Amino acid sequence: MKRFLAAPLAACALACAVLLGGCGGPAPEELIRTDLTAEFDAISAENEELTDLIEESSGGAFELLDISPEEFAKGCFGDFSYEIGDIEADEKEGIASAEVTIKMKSFTDILAKFQEEYQAWISSIDPAAVPTEDEIYAKGGEILMSVMSETPAEETDAILDYSKNEDGDWELDGDGAEDAILDAMF
């Protein structure tokens, strides 16, 4: 009797293994969470590629303001964090959306406060002792960094959309993470 049961049980176990193997791979939600984590983990003051990109896009402003791109990145992104919330995927339709809460400093707030404080400093200059152009720019850099350190990080909620491409891989629609970061900054 045991012999007769062993063969069907072995066949059933083999069939289950084959069928479960065919279901394979992580769920879309896991794939999307992994992708988002990689995207947002790159936003770090320690990320040299990000710092280099900031420096390249500054057009020499950091040198003029007597601050380093690394200082600027730490001031701007030092408090950056994110939390990935619910991810809903419709495999049949090939679409998904992910909720992400981004916490970072608002560059709009930073620029407004910088303009206010810099203007106040310029207005306070004694006409008899006008600083050099280099000193004026260096003071601007000092004020900018001070304002950045005083500006609190704020939370912004974002919905990032994904679509399945022709290869069956999940991809962020548009510039997803970059757009969400820019929206949070401004």
Side-chain angles (χ1 to χ4, degrees):
M1 180 82 161
K2 285 184 182 179
R3 225 166 134 195
F4 289 110
L5 286 176
L9 286 176
C12 185
L14 181 61
C16 285
V18 169
L19 288 175
L20 290 177
C23 293
E29 294 83 2
E30 290 176 50
L31 294 170
I32 290 169
R33 188 172 301 277
T34 299
D35 184 60
L36 285 172
T37 299
E39 290 279 337
F40 285 110
D41 280 355
I43 308 299
S44 166
E46 287 78 37
N47 181 337
E48 288 183 31
E49 288 179 32
L50 178 62
T51 305
D52 290 346
L53 182 62
I54 290 170
E55 183 175 22
E56 288 170 17
S57 64
S58 76
F62 293 119
E63 190 174 313
L64 192 62
L65 295 172
D66 197 29
I67 58 176
S68 72
E70 292 80 16
E71 285 178 281
F72 181 83
K74 284 179 186 167
C76 196
F77 299 113
D79 295 335
F80 175 82
S81 65
Y82 68 94
E83 183 178 328
I84 301 170
D86 292 336
I87 299 172
E88 295 180 14
D90 183 340
E91 283 197 83
K92 188 176 183 180
E93 294 293 322
I95 58 173
S97 64
E99 297 174 0
V100 180
T101 300
I102 302 165
K103 185 174 181 181
M104 66 183 302
K105 297 178 180 192
S106 165
F107 214 67
T108 301
D109 292 350
I110 290 169
L111 290 177
K113 185 72 173 166
F114 166 75
Q115 184 177 6
E116 177 185 312
E117 288 190 20
Y118 189 66
Q119 189 64 40
W121 176 75
I122 292 287
S123 298
S124 73
I125 294 175
D126 179 2
V130 176
T132 66
E133 188 175 324
D134 287 344
E135 292 170 331
I136 290 172
Y137 282 120
K139 184 64 175 182
E142 181 184 317
I143 292 171
L144 177 62
M145 295 309 297
S146 173
V147 166
M148 270 193 203
S149 71
E150 296 167 2
T151 302
E154 299 173 357
E155 286 188 357
T156 303
D157 293 324
I159 303 289
L160 300 175
D161 295 318
Y162 274 78
S163 298
K164 227 177 191 183
N165 66 19
E166 56 201 32
D167 295 329
D169 297 325
W170 290 95
E171 292 181 337
L172 264 169
D173 293 347
D175 290 327
E178 291 90 356
D179 289 345
I181 295 293
L182 289 173
D183 287 346
M185 284 182 81
F186 297 100

